[in-house]
């Protein structure tokens, strides 16, 4: 546990001055100390309507149930929208790459040399039982997450040396190093927990007791695994702050859970819920066809997504012996025919993913630049040689489903790796067949995998598709009990500490980390650390591109596909601001039209 220290003003002054560090409290902080978009006297974000009417019930759908209201631990399946119960120290603006404005902390002081960050709590901040939010709650939250929370917190906060309570409304985080520029902003994202509420509860266990927070909503009604009812806190302490004005306009938010996406879509068309974020290209193209769509009661709108889309891919667990040779992984990847899949199953809606930072300037392209080579050359011999000589490009077919040349190339790679065909099976030198299990929890992914399975079987490779329920899937992923699966690594415009949780050796054996691949590579570790400690934006870009190249040429995943929009469908009684945020679809900025509230039965639920 990190130490709590209390010092008088004189000793604090000596400490700060002796370090030669002078900083001024600010209303916002940015990654590289650039000026924030909004000045200290701003009244609301441009993407909100400060005069949006309050009222009504937003009805949403969830999938596959829930069994926990504790999203902070590596156990259970947490309920949707549970974050609405909590406030953070700062609020991340949705139209800037990485700028945070004060929320629970009305002012933020970041050391000029990045050796500490100090948060000045708003004296008006209250939990929803009326108790004040104090520095003790901040310290309790931090220590609890480190000791009992998800392993990713230990990676996120690894560079924090000490937490100092300076007075009841002032807390300082001291850092082990001063080159982790993202860390102050990451700490600002802490969802603060009430120490007094958790004093008699076990944080390490899942629970369906409605937790206490300081956020804009409270959980008021629960039907275990089936439905949730959030009620807006009418006297929420932060409702008049600039970061909150125009947000959280619904008096209530209800979530009904469905076991199947197709059933949920039919329920949406029947008016059982109000908003749907669509992930299926087929459903987006044809699934919404209904009298309500034709009459204009249901609207479909694509909102431009300016975020990096990261990587979605079929993931190899390289802890498994059959996947430890990159030639085997590459050969299997050659047999996924994206062009045919996109044409036949997705109505041509998708782009092929070519990067772990796709849809951003962080993605690698062309051959490495001089600046990238300066990072990569010291690693030559321990990373794939293709990093230096080739531009990564996924194989391209003509979309007919005939991939004879790619099958021949896959066969050549497998022969190099010591495989041969025996009795129509691909076997290794010991006569063991190349066979593996692909686990999924979503039924709609099966139609993508079946053509892939057919291509594999034509080369004597057996892939078994295993569909599990959500709880079993989560447990198997956490225990690394899988051969292959589909994974998503989301990325931001300013990647940082979370990359340790994705790719670093320190996360490979941590249950619950997102190092699904099982990477334990010193070369990758060095690039991850360099990215986290990048001193400026240009350096960050170079490290991200270098890391991207090494991950791609390692053939650790079979890249899938993406779109650069959010596909939203909603009933016409919902309204939204004229300006959409750049980095979100902004559902919490929407509202229900006042005339619809008056005539809606949901308003009385």
């Amino acid at each position: 546990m990190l130490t709590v220290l209390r010092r008088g003003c004189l000793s604090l002054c000596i400490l700060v001055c002796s370090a030669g560090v002078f900083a001024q409290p600010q209303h916002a902080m940015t990654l590289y100390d650039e000026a924030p978009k909004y000045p200290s006297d701003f009244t609301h974000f441009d993407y909100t309507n400060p005069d949006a009417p309050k009222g009504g019930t937003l009805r949403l759908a969830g999938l596959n149930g829930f069994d926990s209201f504790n999203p902070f631990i590596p156990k259970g399946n947490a309920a949707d929208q549970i974050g609405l119960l909590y406030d953070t120290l700062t609020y991340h603006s949705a139209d800037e790459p990485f700028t945070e404005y004060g929320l629970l902390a009305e002012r933020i002081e970041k050391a000029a040399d990045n050796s500490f960050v100090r948060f000045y709590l708003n004296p008006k901040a209250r939990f929803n039982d009326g108790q004040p939010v104090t520095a003790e709650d901040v310290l309790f939250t931090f220590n609890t997450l480190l000791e009992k929370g998800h392993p990713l917190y230990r990676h996120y906060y690894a560079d924090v040396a000490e937490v100092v309570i300076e007075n009841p409304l002032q807390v300082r985080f001291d850092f082990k190093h001063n080159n982790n520029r993202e860390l102050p902003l990451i700490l600002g994202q802490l969802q603060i927990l009430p120490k007094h509420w958790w004093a008699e509860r076990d944080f390490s266990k899942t629970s369906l007791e409605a937790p206490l927070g300081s956020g804009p909503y409270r959980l008021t009604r629960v039907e275990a695994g089936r439905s949730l009812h959030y009620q807006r806190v009418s006297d929420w302490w932060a409702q008049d702050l600039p970061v909150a004005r125009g947000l959280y306009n619904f008096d209530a938010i209800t979530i009904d859970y469905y076991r199947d996406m197709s059933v949920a879509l039919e329920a949406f068309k029947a008016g059982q819920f109000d908003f749907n974020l669509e992930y299926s290209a087929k459903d987006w193209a044809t699934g919404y066809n209904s009298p309500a769509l034709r009459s204009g009661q249901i609207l479909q709108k694509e909102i431009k997504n300016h975020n990096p889309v990261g990587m979605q891919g079929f993931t190899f667990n390289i802890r498994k012996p059959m996947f430890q040779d990159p030639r085997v992984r590459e050969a299997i990847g050659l047999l996924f025919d994206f062009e045919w899949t996109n044409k036949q199953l997705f109505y041509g809606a998708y782009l092929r993913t070519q990067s772990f930072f796709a849809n951003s300037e962080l993605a690698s392209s062309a051959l490495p630049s001089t600046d990238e080579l300066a990072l990569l050359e010291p690693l030559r011999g321990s990373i794939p040689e293709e990093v230096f000589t080739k531009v990564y490009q996924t194989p391209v077919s003509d979309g007919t489903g005939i991939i004879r040349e790619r099958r021949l190339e896959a066969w050549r790679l497998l022969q190099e790796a010591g495989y041969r065909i025996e009795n129509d099976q691909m076997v290794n030198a010991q006569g063991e067949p190349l066979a593996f299990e692909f686990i999924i929890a979503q039924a709609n992914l099966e139609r993508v995998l079946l053509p892939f399975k057919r291509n594999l079987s034509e080369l004597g490779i057996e892939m078994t598709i295993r569909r599990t329920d959500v709880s079993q899937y989560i447990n198997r992923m956490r225990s690394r009990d899988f051969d292959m699966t589909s994974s998503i690594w989301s990325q931001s415009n300013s990647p940082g500490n979370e990359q340790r949780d994705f790719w670093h050796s320190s996360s490979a054996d941590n249950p619950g980390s997102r190092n699904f691949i099982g990477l334990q590579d010193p070369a990758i570790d060095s690039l991850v650390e360099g990215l986290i400690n990048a001193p400026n934006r240009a350096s960050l870009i170079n490290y991200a591109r270098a890391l991207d190249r090494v991950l791609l040429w390692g053939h650790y995943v079979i890249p899938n596909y993406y779109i650069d929009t959010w596909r939203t469908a909603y009933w016409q009684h919902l309204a939204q601001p004229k300006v959409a945020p750049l980095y979100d679809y902004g559902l919490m900025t929407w509202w229900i039209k006042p005339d619809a509230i008056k005539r809606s039965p949901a308003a009385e639920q």
Side-chain angles (χ1 to χ4, degrees):
M1 179 178 292
L2 295 179
T3 308
V4 185
L5 299 179
R6 294 178 176 83
R7 300 185 176 105
C9 294
L10 178 61
S11 60
L12 177 61
C13 180
I14 293 172
L15 173 69
V16 173
C17 293
S18 65
V21 178
F22 298 92
Q24 292 295 322
Q26 304 290 333
H27 74 292
M29 59 178 168
T30 57
L31 187 60
Y32 298 111
D33 299 324
E34 66 273 26
K37 176 179 178 178
Y38 297 95
S40 58
D41 60 350
F42 84 105
T43 58
H44 63 91
F45 294 122
D46 290 347
Y47 55 85
T48 65
N49 173 8
D51 300 316
K54 306 285 187 183
T57 297
L58 173 68
R59 299 169 302 160
L60 301 175
L63 287 173
N64 299 311
F66 61 91
D67 58 14
S68 175
F69 292 147
N70 188 344
F72 307 104
I73 60 175
K75 298 177 183 178
N77 185 22
D80 289 20
Q81 303 292 339
I82 197 70
L84 292 171
L85 274 58
Y86 300 100
D87 285 329
T88 48
L89 290 169
T90 60
Y91 187 88
H92 189 161
S93 165
D95 58 352
E96 298 169 85
F98 204 174
T99 301
E100 293 185 358
Y101 297 84
L103 180 53
L104 283 171
E106 62 178 349
R107 292 176 297 152
I108 311 109
E109 182 181 345
K110 188 169 67 168
D113 66 351
N114 204 54
S115 60
F116 70 83
V117 65
R118 177 180 287 120
F119 295 100
Y120 298 83
L121 299 180
N122 192 319
K124 297 179 181 179
R126 293 289 185 274
F127 291 107
N128 290 330
D129 64 353
Q131 292 291 316
V133 180
T134 69
E136 291 278 0
D137 297 301
V138 177
L139 179 76
F140 166 78
T141 299
F142 185 83
N143 282 334
T144 300
L145 293 178
L146 282 186
E147 294 172 9
K148 301 178 181 179
H150 195 287
L152 69 86
Y153 294 113
R154 289 188 282 279
H155 294 290
Y156 265 39
Y157 309 138
D159 287 338
V160 175
E162 190 172 46
V163 184
V164 180
I165 291 180
E166 298 174 333
N167 67 50
L169 295 178
Q170 194 168 305
V171 59
R172 190 181 79 241
F173 292 82
D174 294 336
F175 306 149
K176 297 174 183 176
H177 315 286
N178 62 359
N179 52 2
N180 189 337
R181 301 187 66 89
E182 187 189 39
L183 189 54
L185 290 96
I186 291 294
L187 291 166
Q189 295 172 347
L190 273 172
Q191 294 176 301
I192 302 305
L193 306 169
K195 180 180 179 180
H196 66 280
W197 192 84
W198 282 102
E200 299 179 357
R201 294 169 174 86
D202 188 346
F203 188 83
S204 66
K205 295 182 178 179
T206 61
S207 171
L208 287 179
E209 180 185 8
L212 175 69
S214 61
Y217 288 87
R218 56 168 56 95
L219 192 54
T220 58
R221 196 160 63 242
V222 177
E223 193 172 352
R226 297 180 62 183
S227 67
L228 301 164
H229 184 101
Y230 294 95
Q231 192 71 34
R232 187 164 60 85
V233 178
S234 59
D235 58 349
W236 181 41
W237 75 272
Q239 60 189 353
D240 295 322
L241 294 182
V243 295
R245 199 164 290 137
L247 289 164
Y248 315 117
N249 302 311
F250 308 107
D251 276 352
I253 299 173
T254 63
I255 303 172
D256 289 323
Y257 281 80
Y258 297 84
R259 294 294 180 185
D260 187 275
M261 293 177 68
S262 60
V263 175
L265 178 56
E266 293 306 312
F268 172 77
K269 291 189 292 184
Q272 296 300 305
F273 58 98
D274 303 313
F275 173 91
N276 201 37
L277 187 63
E278 185 54 66
Y279 296 98
S280 165
K282 178 183 178 182
D283 285 343
W284 184 250
T286 65
Y288 290 84
N289 188 22
S290 63
L293 181 71
R294 292 190 290 273
S295 67
Q297 291 177 285
I298 290 177
L299 303 173
Q300 288 180 283
K301 181 178 181 180
E302 294 193 46
I303 300 173
K304 183 69 175 177
N305 182 357
H306 296 272
N307 288 296
V309 296
M311 171 61 75
Q312 175 180 317
F314 299 154
T315 304
F316 296 100
N317 182 357
I318 65 171
R319 303 172 185 86
K320 302 289 184 173
M322 67 278 197
F323 292 147
Q324 290 174 3
D325 190 321
R327 294 169 296 188
V328 174
R329 302 194 296 266
E330 182 180 1
I332 292 173
L334 286 167
L335 300 175
F336 174 61
D337 188 351
F338 164 75
E339 285 70 29
W340 182 91
T341 303
N342 196 34
K343 178 182 176 181
Q344 298 296 328
L345 303 182
F346 299 148
Y347 296 82
Y350 288 111
L351 303 169
R352 185 77 191 267
T353 303
Q354 306 286 350
S355 168
F356 282 81
F357 301 93
N359 198 45
S360 78
E361 64 178 345
L362 303 167
S364 58
S365 62
L367 289 173
S369 66
T370 302
D371 290 334
E372 287 178 69
L373 285 173
L375 308 177
L376 293 166
E377 281 292 352
L379 306 176
R380 190 185 284 271
S382 59
I383 59 177
E385 187 61 25
E386 293 92 337
V387 166
F388 301 96
T389 59
K390 295 181 181 179
V391 177
Y392 182 85
Q393 173 68 50
T394 53
V396 179
S397 75
D398 60 7
T400 63
I402 300 171
I403 56 169
R404 183 175 180 274
E405 290 184 1
R406 279 161 56 174
R407 192 159 56 243
L408 289 172
E409 175 63 11
W411 171 224
R412 184 189 66 79
L413 287 166
L414 288 166
Q415 284 180 301
E416 286 184 7
Y419 280 85
R420 68 182 189 277
I421 292 180
E422 185 177 284
N423 298 325
D424 295 328
Q425 281 189 314
M426 188 68 66
V427 298
N428 62 14
Q430 290 74 42
E432 299 166 333
L434 181 51
F436 57 90
E437 182 181 79
F438 196 116
I439 67 167
I440 61 173
Q442 295 174 284
N444 63 341
L445 187 58
E446 196 162 345
R447 69 191 186 103
V448 180
L449 291 173
L450 286 172
F452 181 40
K453 174 182 171 72
R454 183 177 61 247
N455 290 341
L456 289 165
S457 66
E458 289 177 355
L459 203 55
I461 303 169
E462 181 184 357
M463 180 177 78
T464 302
I465 301 171
R466 181 79 61 198
R467 184 182 173 191
T468 68
D469 61 41
V470 172
S471 295
Q472 184 182 5
Y473 180 84
I474 291 172
N475 288 334
R476 289 189 62 177
M477 293 300 292
R478 286 173 178 164
S479 63
R480 311 313 190 203
D481 179 22
F482 71 97
D483 298 334
M484 199 169 183
T485 192
S486 177
S487 305
I488 298 174
W489 290 275
S490 299
Q491 296 287 1
S492 72
N493 281 287
S494 298
N497 291 7
E498 75 287 342
Q499 304 302 306
R500 286 196 189 109
D501 191 60
F502 295 172
W503 328 117
H504 200 278
S505 297
S506 60
S507 65
D509 296 325
N510 283 344
S513 82
R514 296 192 63 79
N515 191 342
F516 303 128
I517 297 167
L519 290 168
Q520 297 188 70
D521 187 323
I524 291 175
D525 292 349
S526 69
L527 293 173
V528 167
E529 293 298 332
L531 183 151
I532 291 170
N533 298 319
N536 52 54
R537 180 70 183 177
S539 177
L540 176 76
I541 292 171
N542 287 326
Y543 270 107
R545 290 176 178 175
L547 175 63
D548 189 32
R549 295 179 194 279
V550 174
L551 292 172
L552 288 169
W553 283 111
H555 300 289
Y556 300 114
V557 305
I558 302 172
N560 287 173
Y561 34 80
Y562 73 95
I563 56 170
D564 57 1
T565 60
W566 284 291
R567 294 180 292 215
T568 64
Y570 54 96
W571 282 77
Q572 58 86 28
H573 59 261
L574 290 180
Q576 56 191 290
K578 294 180 181 179
V579 177
L582 291 176
Y583 304 113
D584 201 341
Y585 53 93
L587 182 60
M588 288 302 124
T589 69
W590 295 25
W591 63 91
I592 296 177
K593 297 173 183 176
D595 59 337
I597 294 175
K598 294 176 183 178
R599 62 174 185 265
S600 171
E604 301 174 0
Q605 292 180 359

